[in-house]
Amino acid sequence: MVTHPFQTARTNSIQNPKSSKGIFGFLLSIFRRPRETDPRLRKAYRQRSRQRERFSTPLRRTIVHRIEESCKRISIAWVGRRIAPVQVTAPIDLRSIRSILILRNDAIGDMILTTPFWRILKQQYPHLKIGIVGSFRNLPIIAYDTDIDFRYECTGVKWSQLLRASRETRQKQWDVVLPMIYNKKTKMAILSKLFAPNAAASMVLLRDDPRDRYEQLYSICFSSDWRKERDSILDLMRRHFEGTFKITFSEDQWRPTLALDESRLLPMAQEL
């Protein structure tokens, strides 16, 4: 039986833990890559580098890229037929709808940046009902926000959590759903259909995203000239908001704000 150099180095560290500078070093040696001092290891690294170089030729990269694009196109087309997004005319007239569901189940900072959305909606259209799908990390910071009518928690990706959250959101009739996580567009389209099956879903695309592909997943889908090296994520969210509803507002309105519980802040201020 031929033993691989990596396996030999790891086996030696396990059989002789004292050579790893104590128990802490022994535990580190289990997870870290073996050192390249052994000639056999250097030879194995060189062989692996040659294999990568042979595979990374321009022709093979082109073939792999085309295969990946074909798989994406086929999978999105299949998902789009299952989702069957609601057909609406953009932009949406906010006077003709009654409820909006926002998907923001990620980080705390992203939830804070989203606060101008429902502030502006509630100021200009008080009849709208606003619902937020958040996570256990960011829902507490909007617990005392009076502009939000419904809050739902969906933290993980387990089917039990998704089904529990979808049962709660489906108890209300939503007209528009805004998934505001832009690096997982296919996943957000599936969650939009799961949480609000009869609502119109909207998505803004980046500069290089193929529009014809994502039009199969969303009711409203439009491109933007947003660039990561030039613009902030707040600019992308603003373009998503303006492109879906075609409303304008001042820069002062577009400032993130938090609604806090003053009854709890006053005792804390007195203690300080």
Side-chain angles (χ1 to χ4, degrees):
M1 180 178 178
V2 180
T3 305
H4 196 273
F6 297 108
Q7 182 179 357
T8 304
R10 182 160 296 185
T11 304
N12 293 338
S13 63
I14 295 175
Q15 292 178 352
N16 188 16
K18 294 182 179 180
S19 61
S20 300
K21 297 182 181 180
I23 187 65
F24 182 71
F26 166 65
L27 294 176
L28 287 179
S29 66
I30 297 178
F31 300 100
R32 68 186 178 186
R33 189 176 65 177
R35 297 180 179 178
E36 302 182 19
T37 55
D38 192 343
R40 293 178 300 171
L41 292 179
R42 291 199 298 268
K43 182 178 180 181
Y45 282 126
R46 286 195 298 268
Q47 292 177 354
R48 187 173 298 180
S49 299
R50 294 194 193 100
Q51 293 176 358
R52 290 179 183 148
E53 291 176 359
R54 286 196 298 268
F55 183 78
S56 61
T57 58
L59 178 60
R60 294 190 179 185
R61 286 199 301 268
T62 303
I63 294 175
V64 171
H65 177 71
R66 291 184 177 180
I67 293 175
E68 290 178 348
E69 289 297 320
S70 300
C71 293
K72 289 180 181 179
R73 191 179 301 108
I74 294 172
S75 60
I76 289 179
W78 183 85
V79 173
R81 287 194 297 268
R82 297 299 184 274
I83 291 178
V86 179
Q87 300 297 325
V88 295
T89 303
I92 298 176
D93 187 3
L94 287 169
R95 295 172 295 181
S96 63
I97 62 176
R98 296 174 297 175
S99 58
I100 298 176
L101 182 65
I102 299 175
L103 305 186
R104 188 84 271 187
N105 55 333
D106 46 3
I108 297 177
D110 295 322
M111 178 68 81
I112 296 175
L113 293 178
T114 317
T115 55
F117 282 89
W118 58 77
R119 297 276 186 270
I120 297 170
L121 290 175
K122 280 294 186 178
Q123 290 174 3
Q124 300 186 12
Y125 302 92
H127 70 281
L128 288 175
K129 299 296 183 181
I130 306 297
I132 303 293
V133 178
S135 63
F136 76 96
R137 294 184 294 269
N138 57 24
L139 278 180
I141 66 175
I142 59 172
Y144 303 101
D145 199 324
T146 57
D147 290 333
I148 301 175
D149 301 288
F150 305 99
R151 300 169 182 83
Y152 308 97
E153 180 181 346
C154 181
T155 301
V157 294
K158 294 183 179 179
W159 279 108
S160 58
Q161 298 177 353
L162 294 176
L163 293 177
R164 176 181 55 80
S166 65
R167 283 195 298 267
E168 296 176 357
T169 57
R170 289 187 179 207
Q171 294 178 1
K172 307 294 180 181
Q173 184 67 29
W174 302 102
D175 296 325
V176 178
V177 55
L178 292 178
M180 307 194 73
I181 302 177
Y182 304 109
N183 57 346
K184 300 176 182 179
K185 296 181 179 62
T186 305
K187 178 182 177 181
M188 287 295 103
I190 297 174
L191 292 181
S192 300
K193 189 67 175 180
L194 183 64
F195 293 146
N198 299 323
S202 171
M203 176 56 68
V204 59
L205 302 179
L206 304 182
R207 187 177 183 182
D208 299 330
D209 292 335
R211 180 174 178 177
D212 57 342
R213 181 182 303 175
Y214 291 104
E215 282 180 341
Q216 306 175 59
L217 303 178
Y218 293 95
S219 305
I220 300 175
C221 192
F222 53 92
S223 303
S224 67
D225 57 348
W226 185 85
R227 293 184 181 181
K228 184 177 181 180
E229 61 276 4
R230 182 190 63 187
D231 305 320
S232 64
I233 188 64
L234 190 60
D235 297 327
L236 182 61
M237 295 164 59
R238 182 172 178 175
R239 294 171 190 177
H240 187 189
F241 188 69
E242 293 176 339
T244 304
F245 303 112
K246 291 297 181 182
I247 61 175
T248 57
F249 40 84
S250 62
E251 292 294 334
D252 294 335
Q253 292 178 312
W254 195 256
R255 289 183 179 179
T257 56
L258 290 178
L260 303 177
D261 186 8
E262 297 180 359
S263 62
R264 295 189 178 186
L265 291 177
L266 184 58
M268 295 175 58
Q270 292 176 353
E271 293 178 1
L272 295 177

